[in-house]
Each structure stands twice: as structure tokens, then as C-alpha cells.
Amino acid sequence: MGGESTTRTAPRGGGTGKAPAGGRTGQRLSGLAVALGMVLFLGGFAWAAVVYRPYTVPTSSMSPTIGIGDRVLAQRVDGEEVRRGDVVVFHDRTWVADAPVVKRVVAVGGDTVSCCTRGRLTVNGKQIDEPYLKGGPAELTGFTTVKVPEGRLFLLGDERQGSLDSTAHLTDAARGTVARTDVTARVDSVIWPMKGMLERPTGFAELGALSQPGPLRTIIALIVAGAVLVLAGGAYGPVARLLGGGRGRTRTEPARAR
């Protein structure tokens, strides 16, 4: 009898075929995670593109809140939605021709605004606490009391000494005020450098409701969650193969004589 022997490799798990790494259920779940992640990731960016518009602020007139050259995200809003304390983007040809301007709304139609009482801006007889000035001076020179007409806004830069704002246009027909309809967006966040969401103008809360922040935090959460799901789903297969590598070693049957 011959002394030949045969060696046969036993399939993994005793089956006739090679199951995918991690099993079929795991593969399906990882594919679902990738698909859902892509929806969240791309959907977040699409939502942001619809709701927000980026701007670069070319001057230091909004310092220290927004520095020169800072990149901001501004939510597209109707001028009627603007409230006291908002930092807004607007177009007014009597201020700057063919360029957007970024300033803070300190008074709305019907308000009486003046400066200053004990170093603070005064609106409707109330002294306004403005912590976003970070200790900078709030006092303005040559600023007389202004009654803001209905449908218009009075705006200041946070850099009160050098900003070309409503106080620089007091001799205009509108006495430095800007129409609500000229507002195109409200700034929510400084994204470069990453300073985050603007500080809430709580000093104006006694005069009326403040604007609520836009959906930027929710959008960021969707984008981050989507990225995590895509990465986790994509990594499932390689990780499963790596962990299962030690279990699928080749087994040989004993030699058989013929």
C-alpha cells in the first residue's frame, strides 16, 4: 500500500462557505450605519448652507466680539425678527456702497437711546450692562439723545471709540438709524478663529425678549454624529477581520494511507 497522504483544510465553522467577517448581521448593521451617517453628515451641511451665510469682517469696529479679519456665520433672517442686542449684517448705501456692514442693534423703533449714564449706554431710561465689551469704554462723545423711528434700528460697534456706526450718521436725514428691511442676517458665531457662539446680550432682557440662537449647535451635532457613524461603520469590517483572524487558523486532518 502506498504511503501517500492527503491534507485537507477544514472550512471555518464547519460550513461549506466562508462567512463574511463579523457575520451577515454585523455587515448589514455597519452598512446601515454608513448610510445613516452620510445622510446626517451631508444633511447637516445642506441645512447650514440654507440657513447660514459666511462673512469676513474687514474692520475692528466690532472688537473685542469680532476681530479684524474674523470669519463669522450669520443666520439669514427677516429684519422684523431683529431684537435689541443682536449683531446683524445689513446693507445701507448711505453708510457703505455695495458692501455689507456688521454692527450691534442697541435700540429699535420707538426706543429712546442716549449715552451715557455712569459710563453705560441708556435705552428708555435703563442703563444697559454690556459684558461683551470686556471692560472697554461704553461712553461716546457728541452723542445726543435719539428717538428711533418705527421700523428702524440704531446700531453701534462694540469698539465704541473708533466704530463708524449710527453715531457717525447722526446728521443724516434718518439720524443714524437703519431700516429693518436693510437687515439680511444675524451673526450667531465666529468660526475663524474658533471663538464659538456670540455672548448673549442679557443686559437688554429688561426691555423685551431677546433673539434665540439659530440652529447652529444642532447642525454641528448632526455633522459630528454623521462623521462618527460613517467612520464606525466603515471600520467594522477591518476590525472584525482583525479580531477573527486568530479563530480561523487552518486545521489539517490526519494522514490517511492508501
PDB file of all heavy atoms in Angstrom, residues 38-50 218-220 222-223:
ATOM      1  N   MET A  38     -23.976  59.151   6.422  1.00  0.00           N
ATOM      2  CA  MET A  38     -23.871  60.021   5.248  1.00  0.00           C
ATOM      3  C   MET A  38     -25.065  60.969   5.156  1.00  0.00           C
ATOM      4  O   MET A  38     -24.918  62.146   4.814  1.00  0.00           O
ATOM      5  CB  MET A  38     -23.783  59.161   3.979  1.00  0.00           C
ATOM      6  CG  MET A  38     -22.466  58.421   3.829  1.00  0.00           C
ATOM      7  SD  MET A  38     -21.042  59.538   3.698  1.00  0.00           S
ATOM      8  CE  MET A  38     -21.385  60.343   2.130  1.00  0.00           C
ATOM      9  N   VAL A  39     -26.253  60.447   5.493  1.00  0.00           N
ATOM     10  CA  VAL A  39     -27.447  61.297   5.481  1.00  0.00           C
ATOM     11  C   VAL A  39     -27.300  62.432   6.487  1.00  0.00           C
ATOM     12  O   VAL A  39     -27.572  63.608   6.182  1.00  0.00           O
ATOM     13  CB  VAL A  39     -28.709  60.458   5.781  1.00  0.00           C
ATOM     14  CG1 VAL A  39     -29.909  61.378   6.018  1.00  0.00           C
ATOM     15  CG2 VAL A  39     -29.004  59.515   4.630  1.00  0.00           C
ATOM     16  N   LEU A  40     -26.876  62.108   7.707  1.00  0.00           N
ATOM     17  CA  LEU A  40     -26.719  63.129   8.737  1.00  0.00           C
ATOM     18  C   LEU A  40     -25.612  64.119   8.375  1.00  0.00           C
ATOM     19  O   LEU A  40     -25.778  65.340   8.532  1.00  0.00           O
ATOM     20  CB  LEU A  40     -26.405  62.470  10.083  1.00  0.00           C
ATOM     21  CG  LEU A  40     -27.499  61.599  10.700  1.00  0.00           C
ATOM     22  CD1 LEU A  40     -27.012  60.975  11.994  1.00  0.00           C
ATOM     23  CD2 LEU A  40     -28.770  62.408  10.940  1.00  0.00           C
ATOM     24  N   PHE A  41     -24.487  63.604   7.904  1.00  0.00           N
ATOM     25  CA  PHE A  41     -23.332  64.445   7.583  1.00  0.00           C
ATOM     26  C   PHE A  41     -23.657  65.426   6.457  1.00  0.00           C
ATOM     27  O   PHE A  41     -23.493  66.643   6.597  1.00  0.00           O
ATOM     28  CB  PHE A  41     -22.158  63.546   7.201  1.00  0.00           C
ATOM     29  CG  PHE A  41     -20.861  64.270   7.005  1.00  0.00           C
ATOM     30  CD1 PHE A  41     -20.100  64.660   8.089  1.00  0.00           C
ATOM     31  CD2 PHE A  41     -20.398  64.551   5.729  1.00  0.00           C
ATOM     32  CE1 PHE A  41     -18.897  65.332   7.915  1.00  0.00           C
ATOM     33  CE2 PHE A  41     -19.196  65.217   5.541  1.00  0.00           C
ATOM     34  CZ  PHE A  41     -18.443  65.607   6.640  1.00  0.00           C
ATOM     35  N   LEU A  42     -24.137  64.885   5.339  1.00  0.00           N
ATOM     36  CA  LEU A  42     -24.449  65.749   4.198  1.00  0.00           C
ATOM     37  C   LEU A  42     -25.670  66.611   4.476  1.00  0.00           C
ATOM     38  O   LEU A  42     -25.739  67.779   4.048  1.00  0.00           O
ATOM     39  CB  LEU A  42     -24.675  64.897   2.951  1.00  0.00           C
ATOM     40  CG  LEU A  42     -23.456  64.086   2.477  1.00  0.00           C
ATOM     41  CD1 LEU A  42     -23.829  63.227   1.286  1.00  0.00           C
ATOM     42  CD2 LEU A  42     -22.286  65.003   2.150  1.00  0.00           C
ATOM     43  N   GLY A  43     -26.649  66.051   5.211  1.00  0.00           N
ATOM     44  CA  GLY A  43     -27.831  66.830   5.554  1.00  0.00           C
ATOM     45  C   GLY A  43     -27.495  68.015   6.433  1.00  0.00           C
ATOM     46  O   GLY A  43     -28.066  69.107   6.281  1.00  0.00           O
ATOM     47  N   GLY A  44     -26.544  67.838   7.363  1.00  0.00           N
ATOM     48  CA  GLY A  44     -26.126  68.948   8.219  1.00  0.00           C
ATOM     49  C   GLY A  44     -25.511  70.082   7.415  1.00  0.00           C
ATOM     50  O   GLY A  44     -25.824  71.258   7.615  1.00  0.00           O
ATOM     51  N   PHE A  45     -24.640  69.729   6.461  1.00  0.00           N
ATOM     52  CA  PHE A  45     -24.025  70.756   5.621  1.00  0.00           C
ATOM     53  C   PHE A  45     -25.071  71.435   4.730  1.00  0.00           C
ATOM     54  O   PHE A  45     -25.024  72.655   4.503  1.00  0.00           O
ATOM     55  CB  PHE A  45     -22.904  70.158   4.773  1.00  0.00           C
ATOM     56  CG  PHE A  45     -21.597  70.058   5.499  1.00  0.00           C
ATOM     57  CD1 PHE A  45     -21.118  68.827   5.921  1.00  0.00           C
ATOM     58  CD2 PHE A  45     -20.843  71.186   5.772  1.00  0.00           C
ATOM     59  CE1 PHE A  45     -19.908  68.722   6.595  1.00  0.00           C
ATOM     60  CE2 PHE A  45     -19.633  71.098   6.440  1.00  0.00           C
ATOM     61  CZ  PHE A  45     -19.168  69.859   6.862  1.00  0.00           C
ATOM     62  N   ALA A  46     -26.019  70.660   4.210  1.00  0.00           N
ATOM     63  CA  ALA A  46     -27.063  71.240   3.367  1.00  0.00           C
ATOM     64  C   ALA A  46     -27.933  72.199   4.171  1.00  0.00           C
ATOM     65  O   ALA A  46     -28.286  73.290   3.691  1.00  0.00           O
ATOM     66  CB  ALA A  46     -27.924  70.119   2.770  1.00  0.00           C
ATOM     67  N   TRP A  47     -28.286  71.815   5.390  1.00  0.00           N
ATOM     68  CA  TRP A  47     -29.080  72.687   6.262  1.00  0.00           C
ATOM     69  C   TRP A  47     -28.333  73.985   6.549  1.00  0.00           C
ATOM     70  O   TRP A  47     -28.892  75.080   6.472  1.00  0.00           O
ATOM     71  CB  TRP A  47     -29.394  71.940   7.549  1.00  0.00           C
ATOM     72  CG  TRP A  47     -30.370  72.625   8.466  1.00  0.00           C
ATOM     73  CD1 TRP A  47     -31.086  73.772   8.218  1.00  0.00           C
ATOM     74  CD2 TRP A  47     -30.746  72.214   9.788  1.00  0.00           C
ATOM     75  NE1 TRP A  47     -31.875  74.093   9.290  1.00  0.00           N
ATOM     76  CE2 TRP A  47     -31.682  73.160  10.269  1.00  0.00           C
ATOM     77  CE3 TRP A  47     -30.364  71.144  10.586  1.00  0.00           C
ATOM     78  CZ2 TRP A  47     -32.242  73.053  11.547  1.00  0.00           C
ATOM     79  CZ3 TRP A  47     -30.939  71.033  11.849  1.00  0.00           C
ATOM     80  CH2 TRP A  47     -31.862  71.972  12.322  1.00  0.00           C
ATOM     81  N   ALA A  48     -27.032  73.860   6.856  1.00  0.00           N
ATOM     82  CA  ALA A  48     -26.228  75.050   7.133  1.00  0.00           C
ATOM     83  C   ALA A  48     -26.176  75.977   5.926  1.00  0.00           C
ATOM     84  O   ALA A  48     -26.245  77.208   6.059  1.00  0.00           O
ATOM     85  CB  ALA A  48     -24.819  74.638   7.549  1.00  0.00           C
ATOM     86  N   ALA A  49     -26.067  75.397   4.726  1.00  0.00           N
ATOM     87  CA  ALA A  49     -25.995  76.216   3.516  1.00  0.00           C
ATOM     88  C   ALA A  49     -27.281  76.987   3.276  1.00  0.00           C
ATOM     89  O   ALA A  49     -27.267  78.103   2.733  1.00  0.00           O
ATOM     90  CB  ALA A  49     -25.679  75.337   2.310  1.00  0.00           C
ATOM     91  N   VAL A  50     -28.408  76.404   3.689  1.00  0.00           N
ATOM     92  CA  VAL A  50     -29.700  77.070   3.506  1.00  0.00           C
ATOM     93  C   VAL A  50     -29.918  78.168   4.551  1.00  0.00           C
ATOM     94  O   VAL A  50     -30.403  79.253   4.248  1.00  0.00           O
ATOM     95  CB  VAL A  50     -30.849  76.040   3.578  1.00  0.00           C
ATOM     96  CG1 VAL A  50     -32.207  76.743   3.624  1.00  0.00           C
ATOM     97  CG2 VAL A  50     -30.785  75.091   2.392  1.00  0.00           C
ATOM     98  N   THR A 218     -27.284  72.474  16.723  1.00  0.00           N
ATOM     99  CA  THR A 218     -27.922  71.248  16.235  1.00  0.00           C
ATOM    100  C   THR A 218     -27.272  70.774  14.941  1.00  0.00           C
ATOM    101  O   THR A 218     -27.036  69.570  14.751  1.00  0.00           O
ATOM    102  CB  THR A 218     -29.421  71.483  16.005  1.00  0.00           C
ATOM    103  OG1 THR A 218     -30.028  71.925  17.222  1.00  0.00           O
ATOM    104  CG2 THR A 218     -30.120  70.217  15.532  1.00  0.00           C
ATOM    105  N   ILE A 219     -26.965  71.702  14.053  1.00  0.00           N
ATOM    106  CA  ILE A 219     -26.322  71.360  12.784  1.00  0.00           C
ATOM    107  C   ILE A 219     -24.948  70.725  13.027  1.00  0.00           C
ATOM    108  O   ILE A 219     -24.594  69.702  12.422  1.00  0.00           O
ATOM    109  CB  ILE A 219     -26.201  72.615  11.897  1.00  0.00           C
ATOM    110  CG1 ILE A 219     -27.589  73.040  11.398  1.00  0.00           C
ATOM    111  CG2 ILE A 219     -25.265  72.361  10.723  1.00  0.00           C
ATOM    112  CD1 ILE A 219     -27.598  74.363  10.674  1.00  0.00           C
ATOM    113  N   ILE A 220     -24.176  71.317  13.935  1.00  0.00           N
ATOM    114  CA  ILE A 220     -22.850  70.772  14.239  1.00  0.00           C
ATOM    115  C   ILE A 220     -22.977  69.365  14.824  1.00  0.00           C
ATOM    116  O   ILE A 220     -22.204  68.453  14.487  1.00  0.00           O
ATOM    117  CB  ILE A 220     -22.102  71.696  15.211  1.00  0.00           C
ATOM    118  CG1 ILE A 220     -21.746  73.017  14.499  1.00  0.00           C
ATOM    119  CG2 ILE A 220     -20.835  71.021  15.743  1.00  0.00           C
ATOM    120  CD1 ILE A 220     -21.134  74.052  15.403  1.00  0.00           C
ATOM    121  N   LEU A 222     -25.343  67.186  14.247  1.00  0.00           N
ATOM    122  CA  LEU A 222     -25.678  66.268  13.164  1.00  0.00           C
ATOM    123  C   LEU A 222     -24.442  65.900  12.345  1.00  0.00           C
ATOM    124  O   LEU A 222     -24.230  64.725  12.002  1.00  0.00           O
ATOM    125  CB  LEU A 222     -26.732  66.894  12.253  1.00  0.00           C
ATOM    126  CG  LEU A 222     -28.152  67.033  12.803  1.00  0.00           C
ATOM    127  CD1 LEU A 222     -29.039  67.732  11.786  1.00  0.00           C
ATOM    128  CD2 LEU A 222     -28.726  65.676  13.167  1.00  0.00           C
ATOM    129  N   ILE A 223     -23.623  66.892  12.017  1.00  0.00           N
ATOM    130  CA  ILE A 223     -22.427  66.641  11.217  1.00  0.00           C
ATOM    131  C   ILE A 223     -21.450  65.731  11.965  1.00  0.00           C
ATOM    132  O   ILE A 223     -20.901  64.774  11.400  1.00  0.00           O
ATOM    133  CB  ILE A 223     -21.750  67.975  10.831  1.00  0.00           C
ATOM    134  CG1 ILE A 223     -22.659  68.765   9.864  1.00  0.00           C
ATOM    135  CG2 ILE A 223     -20.379  67.736  10.210  1.00  0.00           C
ATOM    136  CD1 ILE A 223     -22.167  70.160   9.576  1.00  0.00           C
TER     137      ILE A 223
END
